[in-house]
Amino acid sequence: MAVNPTVSFEFFPPHNADAETQLWHVMGKLVPLGPAFFSVTYGAGGSTRSRTERLVERIHTSMPVNPAAHLTCVGASQAEIETLARSWWEAGIRHIVALRGDPPKGESSYTPHSDGFRNAADLVAGLRKIADFEISVAGYPENHPDSPNQSADLDNLKRKVDAGATRILTQYFFDNDLFYRFRDAAAATGIKVPIIPGILPVTNFAKVVEFSGKCATTVPTSMASQFEGLDNDPETRNLIAASVAIEQCADLSANGVDAFHFYTLNRAALTYAICWRLGMRPNLNDSADAA
Ligand code: FAD
């Protein structure tokens, strides 16, 4: 097992003041683990733009952790996106997670904005022209649903890297073999930047099954059987969730993975337990800064 894995944590912008206070406690719990960055999602269709900006800036100014701002191409012209990216650079934000984004609600397929970036590779190239950002992009161990096959999906990933991406954060997955195959196939395509597995600690199994159908993530039968019958028993479900995610991460670690990106869903407990199991210990001198 890797002694000191690198971890990063993803959050979504809170909907109201109470949720923001709660999120601040969650972040305060995770800060002492010394994460590489906290990333903040950008709601579908840019719907959370101002809340994303606010949270990223708050992390930047009051947390001892670097923020990474997610940014999508949806519903904005190139000029609007460039203005936003410039303002982030001027505010000291150095890391962007560059994404195409999903079609807005009610639309089944993605259509680029008439003056916008066509896809994530275009966006990465546009950001590279603005400033020397650290740029992460999305990778798909089970292929993106829009992709005809793995070879096309990897070609697209390579385009994003060639355009200037410095790191790949993967879609979440539960079957590690799929990740290992993806990692090997990406390396064979000539992709050399780090590929960081996205880990989703499961809090609500029924919802995860539904969402996994939409993003084409396999839920192994062995995993489903562990959660079966626990829909109305959140306490036991949480214990099972911890054991499932800990097993997954321990196996990844045993197979050479030394960095993890957690989809925290704005909760700390499961993510913290997994990090602990991976050998991480908090530096409690950091917690006072974050409170
Ligand atoms: P792209 O890399 O542009 O590709 C999407 C698909 O289109 C791929 O199948 C690709 O093969 C195909 N494609 C692209 N260009 C071409 C081309 N020229 N020719 C042929 N095929 C092409 N969504 C949000 O709205 N907000 C977020 O904050 C957010 N954060 C995310 C974080 C991570 C780590 C991940 C994995 C996903 C995130 N998403 C987010 C979801 C993401 O926006 C969707 O998965 C979206 O559908 C694809 O985005 P992308 O950047 O992978 O797109």
Side-chain angles (χ1 to χ4, degrees), residues 12-197:
F12 56 83
H15 298 288
N16 56 43
D18 286 349
E20 184 160 344
T21 306
Q22 174 59 25
L23 177 58
W24 225 239
H25 286 300
V26 167
M27 289 178 165
K29 173 85 179 170
L30 296 173
V31 162
L33 293 172
F37 59 89
F38 278 170
S39 83
V40 180
T41 61
Y42 196 78
S47 55
T48 65
R49 177 174 159 167
S50 61
R51 284 187 282 132
T52 300
E53 280 183 73
R54 209 161 70 83
L55 183 58
V56 165
E57 279 168 25
R58 194 170 168 199
I59 294 169
H60 177 58
T61 51
S62 56
M63 286 260 166
V65 177
N66 290 324
H70 292 216
L71 181 59
T72 75
C73 310
V74 179
S77 67
Q78 291 194 16
E80 284 166 330
I81 288 177
E82 285 163 3
T83 302
L84 178 59
R86 268 194 203 96
S87 76
W88 279 343
W89 182 264
E90 279 157 21
I93 313 300
R94 296 289 180 261
H95 185 171
I96 293 182
V97 182
L99 303 143
R100 185 196 73 178
D102 285 318
K105 262 195 183 135
E107 287 176 34
S108 56
S109 63
Y110 180 81
T111 315
H113 183 284
S114 53
D115 298 318
F117 291 107
R118 283 173 308 155
N119 51 41
D122 263 11
L123 174 59
V124 173
L127 292 172
R128 268 279 153 266
K129 285 187 200 146
I130 290 174
D132 191 19
F133 284 111
E134 189 177 340
I135 303 178
S136 297
V137 290
Y140 299 88
E142 300 184 62
N143 298 340
H144 186 278
D146 289 355
S147 180
N149 53 49
Q150 190 185 51
S151 154
D153 214 30
L154 285 171
D155 285 347
N156 180 57
L157 189 57
K158 178 90 168 38
R159 275 196 291 276
K160 296 196 271 193
V161 173
D162 290 346
T166 47
R167 176 192 294 97
I168 294 160
L169 302 172
T170 79
Q171 179 62 281
Y172 73 88
F173 57 92
F174 299 113
D175 180 343
N176 286 354
D177 286 342
L178 296 170
F179 174 78
Y180 302 138
R181 271 182 242 146
F182 168 72
R183 193 175 55 174
D184 291 347
T189 313
I191 291 172
K192 295 195 171 71
V193 300
I195 301 180
I196 319 293

